[in-house]
PDB file of all heavy atoms in Angstrom:
ATOM      1  N   PHE A   1       4.472 -12.541  -5.478  1.00  0.00           N
ATOM      2  CA  PHE A   1       4.871 -11.953  -4.210  1.00  0.00           C
ATOM      3  C   PHE A   1       3.771 -11.075  -3.615  1.00  0.00           C
ATOM      4  O   PHE A   1       3.981 -10.429  -2.580  1.00  0.00           O
ATOM      5  CB  PHE A   1       6.152 -11.133  -4.381  1.00  0.00           C
ATOM      6  CG  PHE A   1       7.329 -11.946  -4.845  1.00  0.00           C
ATOM      7  CD1 PHE A   1       8.401 -11.342  -5.486  1.00  0.00           C
ATOM      8  CD2 PHE A   1       7.372 -13.318  -4.646  1.00  0.00           C
ATOM      9  CE1 PHE A   1       9.500 -12.081  -5.907  1.00  0.00           C
ATOM     10  CE2 PHE A   1       8.472 -14.071  -5.077  1.00  0.00           C
ATOM     11  CZ  PHE A   1       9.531 -13.454  -5.704  1.00  0.00           C
ATOM     12  N   VAL A   2       2.608 -11.044  -4.258  1.00  0.00           N
ATOM     13  CA  VAL A   2       1.447 -10.295  -3.774  1.00  0.00           C
ATOM     14  C   VAL A   2       0.313 -11.282  -3.528  1.00  0.00           C
ATOM     15  O   VAL A   2       0.054 -12.162  -4.350  1.00  0.00           O
ATOM     16  CB  VAL A   2       1.012  -9.230  -4.803  1.00  0.00           C
ATOM     17  CG1 VAL A   2      -0.220  -8.485  -4.316  1.00  0.00           C
ATOM     18  CG2 VAL A   2       2.155  -8.242  -5.055  1.00  0.00           C
ATOM     19  N   ALA A   3      -0.364 -11.161  -2.405  1.00  0.00           N
ATOM     20  CA  ALA A   3      -1.449 -12.078  -2.059  1.00  0.00           C
ATOM     21  C   ALA A   3      -2.582 -11.993  -3.084  1.00  0.00           C
ATOM     22  O   ALA A   3      -2.828 -10.937  -3.676  1.00  0.00           O
ATOM     23  CB  ALA A   3      -1.976 -11.763  -0.661  1.00  0.00           C
ATOM     24  N   ASP A   4      -3.259 -13.122  -3.284  1.00  0.00           N
ATOM     25  CA  ASP A   4      -4.368 -13.161  -4.249  1.00  0.00           C
ATOM     26  C   ASP A   4      -5.463 -12.166  -3.895  1.00  0.00           C
ATOM     27  O   ASP A   4      -6.135 -11.622  -4.767  1.00  0.00           O
ATOM     28  CB  ASP A   4      -4.961 -14.574  -4.319  1.00  0.00           C
ATOM     29  CG  ASP A   4      -3.996 -15.584  -4.929  1.00  0.00           C
ATOM     30  OD1 ASP A   4      -3.061 -15.151  -5.643  1.00  0.00           O
ATOM     31  OD2 ASP A   4      -4.173 -16.788  -4.684  1.00  0.00           O
ATOM     32  N   ASP A   5      -5.673 -11.925  -2.589  1.00  0.00           N
ATOM     33  CA  ASP A   5      -6.723 -11.014  -2.143  1.00  0.00           C
ATOM     34  C   ASP A   5      -6.154  -9.675  -1.670  1.00  0.00           C
ATOM     35  O   ASP A   5      -6.777  -8.970  -0.875  1.00  0.00           O
ATOM     36  CB  ASP A   5      -7.549 -11.651  -1.031  1.00  0.00           C
ATOM     37  CG  ASP A   5      -6.706 -12.051   0.190  1.00  0.00           C
ATOM     38  OD1 ASP A   5      -5.449 -11.979   0.101  1.00  0.00           O
ATOM     39  OD2 ASP A   5      -7.285 -12.423   1.221  1.00  0.00           O
ATOM     40  N   ALA A   6      -4.976  -9.327  -2.162  1.00  0.00           N
ATOM     41  CA  ALA A   6      -4.330  -8.081  -1.738  1.00  0.00           C
ATOM     42  C   ALA A   6      -5.166  -6.868  -2.102  1.00  0.00           C
ATOM     43  O   ALA A   6      -5.846  -6.838  -3.138  1.00  0.00           O
ATOM     44  CB  ALA A   6      -2.945  -7.961  -2.377  1.00  0.00           C
ATOM     45  N   ILE A   7      -5.116  -5.868  -1.253  1.00  0.00           N
ATOM     46  CA  ILE A   7      -5.787  -4.605  -1.543  1.00  0.00           C
ATOM     47  C   ILE A   7      -4.962  -3.809  -2.544  1.00  0.00           C
ATOM     48  O   ILE A   7      -3.742  -3.959  -2.623  1.00  0.00           O
ATOM     49  CB  ILE A   7      -5.987  -3.758  -0.271  1.00  0.00           C
ATOM     50  CG1 ILE A   7      -4.614  -3.357   0.327  1.00  0.00           C
ATOM     51  CG2 ILE A   7      -6.846  -4.476   0.748  1.00  0.00           C
ATOM     52  CD1 ILE A   7      -4.676  -2.236   1.333  1.00  0.00           C
ATOM     53  N   ASN A   8      -5.642  -2.968  -3.305  1.00  0.00           N
ATOM     54  CA  ASN A   8      -4.938  -2.011  -4.162  1.00  0.00           C
ATOM     55  C   ASN A   8      -4.620  -0.796  -3.298  1.00  0.00           C
ATOM     56  O   ASN A   8      -5.496  -0.004  -2.972  1.00  0.00           O
ATOM     57  CB  ASN A   8      -5.798  -1.621  -5.357  1.00  0.00           C
ATOM     58  CG  ASN A   8      -5.028  -0.795  -6.374  1.00  0.00           C
ATOM     59  OD1 ASN A   8      -3.862  -0.465  -6.152  1.00  0.00           O
ATOM     60  ND2 ASN A   8      -5.652  -0.455  -7.469  1.00  0.00           N
ATOM     61  N   ALA A   9      -3.352  -0.677  -2.918  1.00  0.00           N
ATOM     62  CA  ALA A   9      -2.947   0.346  -1.947  1.00  0.00           C
ATOM     63  C   ALA A   9      -2.849   1.741  -2.547  1.00  0.00           C
ATOM     64  O   ALA A   9      -2.555   2.693  -1.842  1.00  0.00           O
ATOM     65  CB  ALA A   9      -1.610  -0.043  -1.324  1.00  0.00           C
ATOM     66  N   GLY A  10      -3.076   1.858  -3.857  1.00  0.00           N
ATOM     67  CA  GLY A  10      -3.000   3.158  -4.521  1.00  0.00           C
ATOM     68  C   GLY A  10      -2.137   3.062  -5.763  1.00  0.00           C
ATOM     69  O   GLY A  10      -2.213   2.090  -6.512  1.00  0.00           O
ATOM     70  N   THR A  11      -1.308   4.071  -5.968  1.00  0.00           N
ATOM     71  CA  THR A  11      -0.379   4.094  -7.093  1.00  0.00           C
ATOM     72  C   THR A  11       1.043   4.246  -6.548  1.00  0.00           C
ATOM     73  O   THR A  11       1.250   4.326  -5.333  1.00  0.00           O
ATOM     74  CB  THR A  11      -0.678   5.265  -8.041  1.00  0.00           C
ATOM     75  OG1 THR A  11      -0.320   6.510  -7.385  1.00  0.00           O
ATOM     76  CG2 THR A  11      -2.160   5.302  -8.413  1.00  0.00           C
ATOM     77  N   LEU A  12       2.007   4.304  -7.452  1.00  0.00           N
ATOM     78  CA  LEU A  12       3.382   4.517  -7.019  1.00  0.00           C
ATOM     79  C   LEU A  12       3.586   5.898  -6.407  1.00  0.00           C
ATOM     80  O   LEU A  12       4.608   6.154  -5.762  1.00  0.00           O
ATOM     81  CB  LEU A  12       4.343   4.336  -8.194  1.00  0.00           C
ATOM     82  CG  LEU A  12       4.443   2.924  -8.778  1.00  0.00           C
ATOM     83  CD1 LEU A  12       5.318   2.942 -10.030  1.00  0.00           C
ATOM     84  CD2 LEU A  12       4.985   1.942  -7.759  1.00  0.00           C
ATOM     85  N   PHE A  13       2.606   6.792  -6.593  1.00  0.00           N
ATOM     86  CA  PHE A  13       2.766   8.183  -6.144  1.00  0.00           C
ATOM     87  C   PHE A  13       1.711   8.612  -5.131  1.00  0.00           C
ATOM     88  O   PHE A  13       1.876   9.651  -4.496  1.00  0.00           O
ATOM     89  CB  PHE A  13       2.704   9.126  -7.349  1.00  0.00           C
ATOM     90  CG  PHE A  13       3.738   8.841  -8.396  1.00  0.00           C
ATOM     91  CD1 PHE A  13       3.454   8.040  -9.486  1.00  0.00           C
ATOM     92  CD2 PHE A  13       5.018   9.360  -8.291  1.00  0.00           C
ATOM     93  CE1 PHE A  13       4.402   7.771 -10.461  1.00  0.00           C
ATOM     94  CE2 PHE A  13       5.981   9.096  -9.250  1.00  0.00           C
ATOM     95  CZ  PHE A  13       5.679   8.292 -10.330  1.00  0.00           C
ATOM     96  N   GLU A  14       0.646   7.836  -4.966  1.00  0.00           N
ATOM     97  CA  GLU A  14      -0.443   8.259  -4.087  1.00  0.00           C
ATOM     98  C   GLU A  14      -1.036   7.041  -3.389  1.00  0.00           C
ATOM     99  O   GLU A  14      -1.385   6.049  -4.037  1.00  0.00           O
ATOM    100  CB  GLU A  14      -1.522   8.987  -4.883  1.00  0.00           C
ATOM    101  CG  GLU A  14      -2.626   9.566  -4.020  1.00  0.00           C
ATOM    102  CD  GLU A  14      -3.606  10.402  -4.826  1.00  0.00           C
ATOM    103  OE1 GLU A  14      -3.414  10.534  -6.049  1.00  0.00           O
ATOM    104  OE2 GLU A  14      -4.565  10.919  -4.222  1.00  0.00           O
ATOM    105  N   ALA A  15      -1.166   7.130  -2.064  1.00  0.00           N
ATOM    106  CA  ALA A  15      -1.654   6.010  -1.272  1.00  0.00           C
ATOM    107  C   ALA A  15      -3.156   6.123  -1.018  1.00  0.00           C
ATOM    108  O   ALA A  15      -3.687   7.220  -0.858  1.00  0.00           O
ATOM    109  CB  ALA A  15      -0.920   5.959   0.066  1.00  0.00           C
ATOM    110  N   ASP A  16      -3.832   4.962  -0.989  1.00  0.00           N
ATOM    111  CA  ASP A  16      -5.229   4.886  -0.559  1.00  0.00           C
ATOM    112  C   ASP A  16      -5.198   4.610   0.940  1.00  0.00           C
ATOM    113  O   ASP A  16      -5.173   3.461   1.383  1.00  0.00           O
ATOM    114  CB  ASP A  16      -5.957   3.771  -1.310  1.00  0.00           C
ATOM    115  CG  ASP A  16      -7.457   3.768  -1.035  1.00  0.00           C
ATOM    116  OD1 ASP A  16      -7.853   4.183   0.072  1.00  0.00           O
ATOM    117  OD2 ASP A  16      -8.232   3.338  -1.924  1.00  0.00           O
ATOM    118  N   LEU A  17      -5.200   5.670   1.733  1.00  0.00           N
ATOM    119  CA  LEU A  17      -4.974   5.544   3.166  1.00  0.00           C
ATOM    120  C   LEU A  17      -6.052   4.736   3.859  1.00  0.00           C
ATOM    121  O   LEU A  17      -5.769   3.971   4.801  1.00  0.00           O
ATOM    122  CB  LEU A  17      -4.858   6.938   3.792  1.00  0.00           C
ATOM    123  CG  LEU A  17      -3.712   7.811   3.268  1.00  0.00           C
ATOM    124  CD1 LEU A  17      -3.744   9.189   3.915  1.00  0.00           C
ATOM    125  CD2 LEU A  17      -2.365   7.143   3.504  1.00  0.00           C
ATOM    126  N   LEU A  18      -7.306   4.866   3.432  1.00  0.00           N
ATOM    127  CA  LEU A  18      -8.391   4.128   4.065  1.00  0.00           C
ATOM    128  C   LEU A  18      -8.239   2.625   3.842  1.00  0.00           C
ATOM    129  O   LEU A  18      -8.416   1.825   4.766  1.00  0.00           O
ATOM    130  CB  LEU A  18      -9.740   4.614   3.528  1.00  0.00           C
ATOM    131  CG  LEU A  18     -10.118   6.053   3.890  1.00  0.00           C
ATOM    132  CD1 LEU A  18     -11.459   6.434   3.258  1.00  0.00           C
ATOM    133  CD2 LEU A  18     -10.180   6.223   5.417  1.00  0.00           C
ATOM    134  N   GLU A  19      -7.913   2.237   2.616  1.00  0.00           N
ATOM    135  CA  GLU A  19      -7.718   0.813   2.323  1.00  0.00           C
ATOM    136  C   GLU A  19      -6.545   0.248   3.114  1.00  0.00           C
ATOM    137  O   GLU A  19      -6.599  -0.866   3.645  1.00  0.00           O
ATOM    138  CB  GLU A  19      -7.481   0.611   0.830  1.00  0.00           C
ATOM    139  CG  GLU A  19      -8.727   0.724  -0.030  1.00  0.00           C
ATOM    140  CD  GLU A  19      -9.554  -0.558  -0.005  1.00  0.00           C
ATOM    141  OE1 GLU A  19      -9.189  -1.498   0.718  1.00  0.00           O
ATOM    142  OE2 GLU A  19     -10.565  -0.602  -0.702  1.00  0.00           O
ATOM    143  N   ILE A  20      -5.472   1.012   3.187  1.00  0.00           N
ATOM    144  CA  ILE A  20      -4.278   0.543   3.893  1.00  0.00           C
ATOM    145  C   ILE A  20      -4.560   0.395   5.384  1.00  0.00           C
ATOM    146  O   ILE A  20      -4.191  -0.614   6.008  1.00  0.00           O
ATOM    147  CB  ILE A  20      -3.110   1.508   3.644  1.00  0.00           C
ATOM    148  CG1 ILE A  20      -2.725   1.511   2.166  1.00  0.00           C
ATOM    149  CG2 ILE A  20      -1.909   1.123   4.513  1.00  0.00           C
ATOM    150  CD1 ILE A  20      -1.786   2.609   1.778  1.00  0.00           C
ATOM    151  N   GLU A  21      -5.220   1.375   5.977  1.00  0.00           N
ATOM    152  CA  GLU A  21      -5.522   1.300   7.405  1.00  0.00           C
ATOM    153  C   GLU A  21      -6.418   0.106   7.709  1.00  0.00           C
ATOM    154  O   GLU A  21      -6.234  -0.586   8.717  1.00  0.00           O
ATOM    155  CB  GLU A  21      -6.180   2.598   7.868  1.00  0.00           C
ATOM    156  CG  GLU A  21      -6.280   2.734   9.367  1.00  0.00           C
ATOM    157  CD  GLU A  21      -6.518   4.155   9.815  1.00  0.00           C
ATOM    158  OE1 GLU A  21      -6.831   5.008   8.963  1.00  0.00           O
ATOM    159  OE2 GLU A  21      -6.396   4.411  11.033  1.00  0.00           O
ATOM    160  N   ALA A  22      -7.365  -0.174   6.816  1.00  0.00           N
ATOM    161  CA  ALA A  22      -8.263  -1.306   7.021  1.00  0.00           C
ATOM    162  C   ALA A  22      -7.521  -2.641   6.961  1.00  0.00           C
ATOM    163  O   ALA A  22      -7.935  -3.625   7.581  1.00  0.00           O
ATOM    164  CB  ALA A  22      -9.380  -1.285   5.982  1.00  0.00           C
ATOM    165  N   ALA A  23      -6.426  -2.689   6.230  1.00  0.00           N
ATOM    166  CA  ALA A  23      -5.653  -3.921   6.110  1.00  0.00           C
ATOM    167  C   ALA A  23      -4.822  -4.212   7.347  1.00  0.00           C
ATOM    168  O   ALA A  23      -4.295  -5.315   7.496  1.00  0.00           O
ATOM    169  CB  ALA A  23      -4.738  -3.838   4.891  1.00  0.00           C
ATOM    170  N   GLN A  24      -4.697  -3.256   8.250  1.00  0.00           N
ATOM    171  CA  GLN A  24      -3.957  -3.401   9.506  1.00  0.00           C
ATOM    172  C   GLN A  24      -2.544  -3.974   9.291  1.00  0.00           C
ATOM    173  O   GLN A  24      -2.187  -5.009   9.857  1.00  0.00           O
ATOM    174  CB  GLN A  24      -4.740  -4.275  10.490  1.00  0.00           C
ATOM    175  CG  GLN A  24      -6.083  -3.691  10.873  1.00  0.00           C
ATOM    176  CD  GLN A  24      -6.809  -4.536  11.887  1.00  0.00           C
ATOM    177  OE1 GLN A  24      -6.937  -5.756  11.731  1.00  0.00           O
ATOM    178  NE2 GLN A  24      -7.288  -3.905  12.944  1.00  0.00           N
ATOM    179  N   PRO A  25      -1.754  -3.298   8.495  1.00  0.00           N
ATOM    180  CA  PRO A  25      -0.408  -3.826   8.216  1.00  0.00           C
ATOM    181  C   PRO A  25       0.495  -3.762   9.436  1.00  0.00           C
ATOM    182  O   PRO A  25       0.343  -2.907  10.312  1.00  0.00           O
ATOM    183  CB  PRO A  25       0.099  -2.910   7.105  1.00  0.00           C
ATOM    184  CG  PRO A  25      -0.644  -1.624   7.309  1.00  0.00           C
ATOM    185  CD  PRO A  25      -2.002  -2.019   7.798  1.00  0.00           C
ATOM    186  N   ASP A  26       1.448  -4.700   9.479  1.00  0.00           N
ATOM    187  CA  ASP A  26       2.502  -4.683  10.499  1.00  0.00           C
ATOM    188  C   ASP A  26       3.686  -3.853  10.035  1.00  0.00           C
ATOM    189  O   ASP A  26       4.508  -3.435  10.851  1.00  0.00           O
ATOM    190  CB  ASP A  26       2.986  -6.108  10.775  1.00  0.00           C
ATOM    191  CG  ASP A  26       1.867  -7.050  11.165  1.00  0.00           C
ATOM    192  OD1 ASP A  26       1.089  -6.690  12.062  1.00  0.00           O
ATOM    193  OD2 ASP A  26       1.772  -8.136  10.570  1.00  0.00           O
ATOM    194  N   LEU A  27       3.796  -3.662   8.716  1.00  0.00           N
ATOM    195  CA  LEU A  27       4.931  -2.943   8.136  1.00  0.00           C
ATOM    196  C   LEU A  27       4.517  -2.372   6.791  1.00  0.00           C
ATOM    197  O   LEU A  27       3.791  -3.027   6.030  1.00  0.00           O
ATOM    198  CB  LEU A  27       6.117  -3.887   7.950  1.00  0.00           C
ATOM    199  CG  LEU A  27       7.339  -3.364   7.178  1.00  0.00           C
ATOM    200  CD1 LEU A  27       7.994  -2.212   7.933  1.00  0.00           C
ATOM    201  CD2 LEU A  27       8.344  -4.484   6.922  1.00  0.00           C
ATOM    202  N   ILE A  28       4.965  -1.158   6.500  1.00  0.00           N
ATOM    203  CA  ILE A  28       4.760  -0.528   5.192  1.00  0.00           C
ATOM    204  C   ILE A  28       6.143  -0.151   4.648  1.00  0.00           C
ATOM    205  O   ILE A  28       6.977   0.386   5.382  1.00  0.00           O
ATOM    206  CB  ILE A  28       3.874   0.725   5.290  1.00  0.00           C
ATOM    207  CG1 ILE A  28       2.513   0.372   5.898  1.00  0.00           C
ATOM    208  CG2 ILE A  28       3.686   1.366   3.919  1.00  0.00           C
ATOM    209  CD1 ILE A  28       1.645   1.586   6.213  1.00  0.00           C
ATOM    210  N   ILE A  29       6.367  -0.435   3.374  1.00  0.00           N
ATOM    211  CA  ILE A  29       7.654  -0.134   2.743  1.00  0.00           C
ATOM    212  C   ILE A  29       7.442   0.813   1.571  1.00  0.00           C
ATOM    213  O   ILE A  29       6.624   0.539   0.687  1.00  0.00           O
ATOM    214  CB  ILE A  29       8.346  -1.419   2.252  1.00  0.00           C
ATOM    215  CG1 ILE A  29       8.615  -2.372   3.418  1.00  0.00           C
ATOM    216  CG2 ILE A  29       9.658  -1.077   1.539  1.00  0.00           C
ATOM    217  CD1 ILE A  29       9.195  -3.710   2.997  1.00  0.00           C
ATOM    218  N   VAL A  30       8.168   1.921   1.573  1.00  0.00           N
ATOM    219  CA  VAL A  30       8.170   2.869   0.453  1.00  0.00           C
ATOM    220  C   VAL A  30       9.607   3.071   0.002  1.00  0.00           C
ATOM    221  O   VAL A  30      10.558   2.733   0.716  1.00  0.00           O
ATOM    222  CB  VAL A  30       7.542   4.224   0.842  1.00  0.00           C
ATOM    223  CG1 VAL A  30       6.089   4.055   1.237  1.00  0.00           C
ATOM    224  CG2 VAL A  30       8.336   4.902   1.969  1.00  0.00           C
ATOM    225  N   ALA A  31       9.759   3.650  -1.179  1.00  0.00           N
ATOM    226  CA  ALA A  31      11.089   4.010  -1.696  1.00  0.00           C
ATOM    227  C   ALA A  31      10.906   4.698  -3.027  1.00  0.00           C
ATOM    228  O   ALA A  31       9.890   4.508  -3.715  1.00  0.00           O
ATOM    229  CB  ALA A  31      11.983   2.778  -1.858  1.00  0.00           C
ATOM    230  N   GLY A  32      11.900   5.492  -3.410  1.00  0.00           N
ATOM    231  CA  GLY A  32      11.888   6.096  -4.740  1.00  0.00           C
ATOM    232  C   GLY A  32      10.635   6.907  -5.006  1.00  0.00           C
ATOM    233  O   GLY A  32      10.357   7.900  -4.330  1.00  0.00           O
ATOM    234  N   ARG A  33       9.862   6.469  -6.003  1.00  0.00           N
ATOM    235  CA  ARG A  33       8.670   7.210  -6.403  1.00  0.00           C
ATOM    236  C   ARG A  33       7.678   7.382  -5.251  1.00  0.00           C
ATOM    237  O   ARG A  33       6.960   8.373  -5.181  1.00  0.00           O
ATOM    238  CB  ARG A  33       7.981   6.487  -7.567  1.00  0.00           C
ATOM    239  CG  ARG A  33       8.817   6.342  -8.837  1.00  0.00           C
ATOM    240  CD  ARG A  33       8.084   5.468  -9.851  1.00  0.00           C
ATOM    241  NE  ARG A  33       8.804   5.315 -11.115  1.00  0.00           N
ATOM    242  CZ  ARG A  33       9.691   4.347 -11.355  1.00  0.00           C
ATOM    243  NH1 ARG A  33       9.969   3.464 -10.412  1.00  0.00           N
ATOM    244  NH2 ARG A  33      10.297   4.276 -12.531  1.00  0.00           N
ATOM    245  N   SER A  34       7.613   6.412  -4.364  1.00  0.00           N
ATOM    246  CA  SER A  34       6.621   6.441  -3.282  1.00  0.00           C
ATOM    247  C   SER A  34       7.147   7.053  -1.994  1.00  0.00           C
ATOM    248  O   SER A  34       6.415   7.150  -1.003  1.00  0.00           O
ATOM    249  CB  SER A  34       6.112   5.021  -3.002  1.00  0.00           C
ATOM    250  OG  SER A  34       7.182   4.148  -2.669  1.00  0.00           O
ATOM    251  N   ALA A  35       8.407   7.470  -1.975  1.00  0.00           N
ATOM    252  CA  ALA A  35       9.021   7.948  -0.732  1.00  0.00           C
ATOM    253  C   ALA A  35       8.296   9.146  -0.144  1.00  0.00           C
ATOM    254  O   ALA A  35       8.241   9.300   1.081  1.00  0.00           O
ATOM    255  CB  ALA A  35      10.485   8.303  -0.980  1.00  0.00           C
ATOM    256  N   ALA A  36       7.709   9.978  -0.995  1.00  0.00           N
ATOM    257  CA  ALA A  36       7.031  11.188  -0.503  1.00  0.00           C
ATOM    258  C   ALA A  36       5.799  10.864   0.334  1.00  0.00           C
ATOM    259  O   ALA A  36       5.279  11.730   1.035  1.00  0.00           O
ATOM    260  CB  ALA A  36       6.638  12.076  -1.684  1.00  0.00           C
TER     261      ALA A  36
END
């Protein structure tokens, strides 16, 4: 369910904001451990 060339967006508790912004997502989903 993860693309072969997917970026490592961080950990369950901390996001790599630069990598995520570069990926230009249409949607981001968090919950539980990542909700903060």
Side-chain angles (χ1 to χ4, degrees):
F1 299 157
V2 178
D4 292 339
D5 58 351
I7 64 164
N8 189 357
T11 70
L12 294 174
F13 302 95
E14 185 174 359
D16 188 330
L17 299 177
L18 294 178
E19 284 280 3
I20 296 169
E21 192 162 12
Q24 298 183 311
D26 305 310
L27 172 64
I28 302 172
I29 300 175
V30 298
R33 299 173 178 90
S34 57

